[in-house]
Every structure is written in C-alpha cells, then in structure tokens.
Amino acid sequence: MSVSDCRILQLPVIPDERGNLSFVEEHRHIPFEIKRVYWLYDVPGGASRGAHAHKRLQQLLIAASGSFRVTLDDGKEKRSFFLNRSYQGLLIPPGIWRELDDFSSGAVCMVLASELYDPEEYIRDYQEFLEFSR
Ligand code: T46
C-alpha cells in the first residue's frame, strides 16, 4: 500500500435546519466491516498522537468536531491531510505510518476500524516499519 491509496471519502449529508446528519454504512460507504469505533478527545494543544502503523487494520478517520492534521508515510513518500469536516473521512489502508497533530480546541477524532484492538498488530518502531514496508 502507498500513500496514494489513502483518500478522503465524502460521506452522505442530510441537511436539516435542526442540524445536519451524516452516516457511514459498512461495505457501502467504506470498503470494510466496522468491528470497532474509538475516538480521541480532550487532546491538549501541541500534543501529537499516532506514530505507528498497522499490519492489517483499515481505518476511516473523521473529524467529528474541530480539526487536526494527519501525516501519512508509506516508507517512500509522505502525504498530509487536514481534517475539519464531519462529513468527510480519511481512509487509511494497512501498512501506512501515521501521525496526528495540530488538534484544534475541542477536536474529536473518531475512528472506524476493521479489526478489534490487538497490540500485536501495531508497528511502533519506525525502522521496523521501513523493513515491513519494503
Ligand atoms: C490510530 C490513532 C488515530 C485500547 O485499549 N483499545 C483501543 O481500541 C485503542 C485504540 C487503544 N487502547 C489503548 C492502548 C494504549 O494503552 O489506549 C492506549 C492509547 O493508545 P495509542 O497509544 O495507540 O493511541 P494513539 O492515539 O497513538 O493511536 C490511536 C489508535 O491506537 C490508532 O489505531 O490510528 O489513534
């Protein structure tokens, strides 16, 4: 997988004067079954998250509130996305190193994931990641 396989998906929007609504359906809007949902919140100014890759996990990252930057790295090339719309999701296939930073106040990063939590599935060492990506 390469950073060119990572892309922004436009999710459905139901506009409503009471407030808008967006949704995601597995295999329809995203190409995997959703096994887990988690979210990052109350991120202090200047903090960064991530700095790892996944061996099998696919994810969709959504800025459910506020904004943040996601920098992706396939071992050869880097690509940055700034997420600030709750109707967009960043699709990240396996084997991509990611770092999240520049969180706005009140930002919520919601993640839809294709696998249950498994610490063995993470690559947290960058040199190991480079070997894995070769
Ligand atoms: C990712 C970014 C965007 C659990 O016990 N269950 C879970 O489902 C998750 C996601 C984490 N944890 C535990 C494992 C660690 O002790 O929560 C702690 C913090 O996890 P981590 O250091 O992996 O957090 P981030 O923000 O660096 O990464 C997380 C996800 O792990 C990762 O998949 O892509 O958010």
Side-chain angles (χ1 to χ4, degrees):
M1 288 295 173
S2 77
V3 289
S4 58
D5 298 307
C6 304
R7 62 185 199 277
I8 295 285
L9 303 184
Q10 303 293 330
L11 303 173
V13 179
I14 313 290
D16 192 313
E17 60 190 17
R18 299 169 299 168
N20 299 339
L21 183 151
S22 287
F23 58 95
V24 182
E25 294 178 5
E26 61 189 19
H27 298 303
R28 184 168 172 214
H29 305 111
I30 53 172
F32 58 82
E33 181 187 349
I34 301 163
K35 290 205 180 145
R36 182 166 51 114
V37 178
Y38 52 91
W39 50 97
L40 305 171
Y41 57 99
D42 290 348
V43 180
S48 62
R49 308 279 317 208
H52 58 250
H54 290 281
K55 295 175 188 168
R56 295 185 307 279
L57 186 84
Q58 300 180 64
Q59 295 165 300
L60 189 77
L61 271 58
I62 299 171
S65 180
S67 62
F68 52 88
R69 179 173 51 214
V70 186
T71 304
L72 303 174
D73 178 350
D74 59 19
K76 291 190 183 126
E77 201 182 332
K78 288 189 181 185
R79 196 171 167 196
S80 249
F81 293 87
F82 190 70
L83 298 186
N84 62 354
R85 300 279 182 243
S86 32
Y87 54 83
Q88 293 180 336
L90 175 60
L91 185 67
I92 309 180
I96 303 289
W97 188 268
R98 87 288 316 277
E99 296 185 11
L100 287 74
D101 63 7
D102 200 13
F103 285 85
S104 69
S105 167
V108 178
C109 170
M110 185 169 69
V111 183
L112 312 183
S114 65
E115 307 294 334
L116 301 178
Y117 179 63
D118 175 7
E120 299 299 315
E121 194 273 331
Y122 283 71
I123 304 171
R124 293 188 181 270
D125 179 83
Y126 190 69
Q127 287 308 316
E128 189 187 329
F129 164 70
L130 290 178
E131 284 160 29
F132 179 87
S133 65
R134 273 189 223 117

